[in-house]
Amino acid sequence: MPKSDFHDDDDDDDVVFLGSPPGGGVNSEDPSVPKPVEAQQRYRTLECRHFWRAGTYEEPSGPLHRARRADLESYDFDRARVHPKFLHSNATSHKWAFGAVAELLDNAVDEIHNGATFVKVDKINNLKDNSPVLLFQDDGGGMDPEGIRRCMSLGFSSKRSKTTIGQYGNGFKTSTMRLGADAIVFSRASRGSCVTLSIGLLSYTFLRRTLKDDIFVPMLDFQINDGQIIPLSSNSQDEWDSSLKTIIEWSPFSSKEELLLQFEDIGLHGTKVLIYNLWMNDDGLLELDFEDDEEDILLRDQAYSGGFSRSNKEIVHCHISYTLKYSLRAYASILYLRKFSNFQIILRGKPVEQVDIADEMKFMKTITYKPQVCMDAEDVSVRVTIGFAKEAPVLGIFGFNVYHKNRLIMPFWKVVQEGSSRGRCVIGVFEANFMEPAHDKQDFERTPLFIRLEGKLRQIVLEYWKHNCHLIGYQSYSTTTVKRKLKDSDKHSYEHLSKTQHKMPSVHVDGVARLAEPSGQACAQYSIVEQSEPGENSEDIEIMDISDPMLIEKISEESIQLFMRRAELQLKTAQLKQTVEELEHELEEAKSRYSQLVADLETQRTQQVKK
């Protein structure tokens, strides 16, 4: 059976599917008749829409709630319970919202081997309250009833191939709950001659508002026979109706017909995920910004503009190492190492143009690295591509883009000290399939292997910089600048040099003094030092070898501090100049008013004298 898209195969022992949850208060009323609008508005959202605070709440403790808990506890559970708070705490593994988006994109990319050709990411509106809804849709193999139940369960995965990205069986739950409080899934699958439609609702709002102490996931299944859509019920019709009622009450849709309409644009097979009640930031604005760019989804509160000069800031803001922090289009463009041949990420109606980091380099080189994975493991060989950024030396961007199974894990990972001139503008890219990524796929596990890799990459960067920094205008490490210190103690050496020069004939060619061999032919060019006797007015110059890396780094850091101090002083000077100009202007106005008052007073006196 093909794997399902947006799907983290799992046992369903820890989540209650289908039917009316015991003690949940869901009755057998007509499911097509929704509650009054006032009640829906009161229950459809959480009191707190801030993600990092949504997991902190206390359950009411009145007699009614105690009775409901007792009813639940009296039920014969032959399984482990999972409290709804776990949905939130599980999602906190994603510190970055775009990391959650990447998980959902991964599920669609994993479906390429099942025929997927696209994944759409877009914003639509909630039919009930017109609030934004985040849409993910692909044309992969889809999920049958068993597959969608595994998708909605926790922690099991059958994705163990060398090509699929997902592996923990947790990505769908963590990613959807990180982006919004609720998600509804529509999936159509064709398994032989059997065509099924499945709907599942994972709603943190529903679980919170109805005071559940276990995770209940309402599910609906349909089968298409001779063009007719027939409901499938594994248990009783009452349970199926209860699931329909719950989904209608807590989803953006108000009837079974509206739910089925969502399958019309899916095609013969595929999956659609809608995430709603999206999280907000501290200012009460949506964490995801859909308004500033109609062709992109932006992340609020992620833009950073410090640390750059005014002349470079505009260029920095356009570079992908900066824009990927807040632009989904930029992040998705480098999310996968190898370009797709027959697959597209379509963001808000426009395909994402993939970017190969290697194309952003100049003076590129390839280095082979063989990590020592473990004693009994096969030999591993990694090709590390390294070079200077095209914008070098104007911009000091640097770092490695590290991929795992084609998926970007660490963008522009800095392995050398930030602020140091060594390694400036050096970027690299490689695929590290010999290590395991962390659960959020934004980092690697901090193992000894990872630490050794970091040290090796630092060595690679410094070696590349040492031999190639002159290509972007920096002084090569092989060049040694010598400054002579002329003191009384050096007088003997100086006189010896002068005597030697007097003994040897010299010729002048094109104004340049050259020492001549006895034959009179000019030899190698020689730098002439001004021949003045050392005395009190002579300049003391220390002999200094700047080939010492530590010395160069120290000088560079001091230079940076001086430039920053100079910029601060220039800014203060400009501010003081502006203040002086404003004060002078105010003084001129005061003088003008004073002159006018004197003139008026003189006029009044003249008039009084005439009277």
Side-chain angles (χ1 to χ4, degrees):
M1 181 182 297
K3 291 177 190 169
S4 55
D5 44 356
F6 290 110
H7 164 253
D8 301 300
D9 300 337
D10 192 5
D11 301 328
D12 54 4
D13 296 336
D14 52 357
V15 177
V16 179
F17 296 109
L18 299 175
S20 174
V26 181
N27 56 38
S28 57
E29 299 175 5
D30 183 0
S32 63
V33 180
K35 285 187 175 182
V37 174
E38 295 80 5
Q40 290 187 2
Q41 293 293 343
R42 187 171 67 252
Y43 286 110
R44 278 207 310 272
T45 59
L46 297 171
E47 305 94 330
C48 176
R49 291 279 297 281
H50 189 288
F51 173 72
W52 296 107
R53 295 195 290 268
T56 305
Y57 68 94
E58 295 182 0
E59 297 181 0
S61 56
L64 175 61
H65 305 300
R66 286 196 295 270
R68 299 177 89 175
R69 285 196 295 272
D71 190 15
L72 279 170
E73 291 169 0
S74 65
Y75 188 79
D76 183 18
F77 285 103
D78 186 19
R79 58 183 173 81
R81 287 188 183 181
V82 181
H83 195 278
K85 284 186 178 182
F86 178 73
L87 283 178
H88 181 268
S89 61
N90 192 39
T92 58
S93 62
H94 286 293
K95 301 296 186 292
W96 190 40
F98 281 174
V101 173
E103 287 273 11
L104 296 172
L105 295 178
D106 290 344
N107 287 334
V109 171
D110 283 342
E111 281 297 294
I112 292 177
H113 71 281
N114 284 331
T117 61
F118 70 84
V119 56
K120 294 179 181 178
V121 185
D122 211 337
K123 184 214 79 167
I124 61 174
N125 293 326
N126 190 321
L127 296 178
K128 287 182 177 178
D129 59 13
N130 207 38
S131 62
V133 176
L134 185 59
L135 163 71
F136 292 83
Q137 181 177 342
D138 70 52
D139 61 343
M143 292 180 280
D144 58 14
E146 179 184 357
I148 197 170
R149 281 157 180 77
R150 288 182 173 180
C151 172
M152 296 295 196
S153 296
L154 300 169
F156 175 84
S157 176
S158 62
K159 296 180 179 180
R160 291 295 177 184
S161 76
K162 294 182 178 180
T163 56
T164 54
I165 302 166
Q167 57 182 320
Y168 294 113
N170 207 25
F172 175 81
K173 280 75 65 175
T174 60
S175 55
T176 53
M177 294 296 98
R178 173 61 185 87
L179 297 170
D182 309 291
I184 186 168
V185 183
F186 300 85
S187 193
R188 174 171 175 148
S190 299
R191 305 291 186 259
S193 60
C194 181
V195 179
T196 58
L197 310 177
S198 296
I199 304 172
L201 177 69
L202 185 63
S203 174
Y204 186 55
T205 305
F206 159 65
L207 298 170
R208 280 277 305 274
R209 286 294 193 177
T210 54
L211 305 178
K212 300 293 185 293
D213 65 353
D214 204 356
I215 297 178
F216 295 92
V217 181
M219 310 285 289
L220 297 174
D221 300 302
F222 302 86
Q223 186 172 353
I224 299 180
N225 286 332
D226 298 328
Q228 299 295 318
I229 300 177
I230 302 172
L232 290 178
S233 177
S234 58
N235 297 312
S236 67
Q237 184 62 36
D238 288 343
E239 289 183 344
W240 196 94
D241 291 341
S242 295
S243 293
L244 176 59
K245 178 177 176 59
T246 303
I247 291 175
I248 288 175
E249 183 173 353
W250 296 96
S251 78
F253 308 100
S254 301
S255 66
K256 182 178 74 173
E257 289 71 25
E258 285 187 5
L259 290 170
L260 292 176
L261 281 175
Q262 295 303 307
F263 291 98
E264 288 193 352
D265 63 344
I266 289 181
L268 298 178
H269 46 76
T271 298
K272 179 188 294 186
V273 177
L274 303 179
I275 304 171
Y276 55 103
N277 286 331
L278 302 175
W279 298 116
M280 296 180 174
N281 63 9
D282 291 333
D283 299 325
L285 301 173
L286 288 177
E287 190 176 19
L288 299 177
D289 179 7
F290 301 98
E291 305 301 327
D292 283 354
D293 191 336
E294 294 182 352
E295 296 181 347
D296 201 354
I297 297 176
L298 306 179
L299 193 58
R300 300 186 199 271
D301 308 325
Q302 288 294 317
Y304 173 72
S305 58
F308 304 106
S309 65
R310 185 175 300 177
S311 59
N312 290 345
K313 190 176 296 184
E314 184 176 348
I315 305 175
V316 171
H317 286 187
C318 297
H319 194 268
I320 195 167
S321 63
Y322 177 83
T323 57
L324 68 85
K325 299 175 183 177
Y326 65 90
S327 165
L328 182 56
R329 182 170 294 276
Y331 178 55
S333 70
I334 64 169
L335 187 58
Y336 301 101
L337 177 60
R338 290 174 287 278
K339 293 185 177 181
F340 302 120
S341 58
N342 191 31
F343 185 86
Q344 285 185 322
I345 299 174
I346 303 174
L347 177 57
R348 305 199 73 177
K350 182 179 178 181
V352 172
E353 184 177 349
Q354 288 185 271
V355 174
D356 187 346
I357 294 297
D359 294 338
E360 303 301 309
M361 302 180 193
K362 59 184 178 182
F363 308 119
M364 185 171 57
K365 291 187 178 181
T366 302
I367 299 170
T368 301
Y369 167 54
K370 296 183 178 180
Q372 297 177 353
V373 181
C374 58
M375 295 297 295
D376 55 348
E378 298 180 359
D379 291 339
V380 177
S381 181
V382 180
R383 291 172 58 86
V384 179
T385 303
I386 189 171
F388 288 114
K390 284 184 176 180
E391 296 79 6
V394 177
L395 297 183
I397 55 172
F398 62 97
F400 281 94
N401 290 269
V402 190
Y403 291 78
H404 179 267
K405 293 184 178 179
N406 197 44
R407 156 76 136 81
L408 179 64
I409 304 297
M410 300 177 69
F412 294 93
W413 174 32
K414 297 175 175 58
V415 297
V416 295
Q417 183 179 358
E418 194 164 4
S420 170
S421 62
R422 293 190 301 164
R424 179 180 170 86
C425 304
V426 177
I427 62 176
V429 59
F430 67 98
E431 191 171 22
N433 293 339
F434 56 90
M435 296 190 305
E436 290 299 322
H439 280 236
D440 64 351
K441 297 188 181 72
Q442 297 298 311
D443 201 349
F444 287 95
E445 300 292 343
R446 300 287 165 166
T447 62
L449 179 61
F450 178 84
I451 295 172
R452 290 197 299 270
L453 172 65
E454 185 174 17
K456 183 62 178 179
L457 292 177
R458 184 182 297 111
Q459 179 184 348
I460 290 174
V461 169
L462 296 180
E463 283 294 318
Y464 177 85
W465 170 264
K466 178 178 179 180
H467 295 100
N468 298 280
C469 62
H470 64 280
L471 297 174
I472 59 171
Y474 284 82
Q475 188 177 33
S476 174
Y477 269 59
S478 60
T479 303
T480 302
T481 303
V482 179
K483 294 184 179 181
R484 291 177 170 83
K485 185 176 183 179
L486 302 178
K487 291 185 177 179
D488 292 340
S489 60
D490 296 328
K491 186 175 181 179
H492 177 73
S493 299
Y494 178 83
E495 291 177 349
H496 178 73
L497 175 62
S498 299
K499 291 178 181 179
T500 305
Q501 288 180 341
H502 283 302
K503 289 180 180 179
M504 296 183 65
S506 62
V507 295
H508 289 264
V509 180
D510 297 331
V512 178
R514 301 175 183 270
L515 297 179
E517 295 180 349
S519 61
Q521 295 180 353
C523 66
Q525 183 172 337
Y526 185 80
S527 180
I528 301 298
V529 182
E530 183 180 355
Q531 300 183 12
S532 59
E533 288 290 331
E536 294 182 358
N537 296 327
S538 63
E539 183 181 2
D540 289 342
I541 305 175
E542 296 182 356
I543 299 175
M544 181 173 57
D545 184 359
I546 65 166
S547 62
D548 181 5
M550 296 301 295
L551 182 57
I552 289 182
E553 183 173 344
K554 182 179 179 181
I555 294 173
S556 300
E557 291 174 355
E558 290 177 353
S559 299
I560 291 172
Q561 294 297 325
L562 289 172
F563 277 117
M564 292 177 63
R565 178 62 177 162
R566 179 190 175 193
E568 291 176 1
L569 292 174
Q570 288 177 338
L571 179 61
K572 288 182 179 179
T573 302
Q575 291 174 345
L576 289 172
K577 184 177 180 181
Q578 183 178 359
T579 302
V580 169
E581 291 176 352
E582 291 174 353
L583 291 173
E584 289 177 346
H585 180 68
E586 291 177 2
L587 180 60
E588 291 297 327
E589 290 182 347
K591 287 181 178 179
S592 177
R593 289 197 299 271
Y594 174 75
S595 300
Q596 184 64 39
L597 288 172
V598 170
D600 292 343
L601 182 61
E602 187 66 28
T603 301
Q604 291 177 2
R605 286 178 179 177
T606 302
Q607 292 175 352
Q608 289 177 357
V609 170
K610 289 181 179 180
K611 289 180 180 180

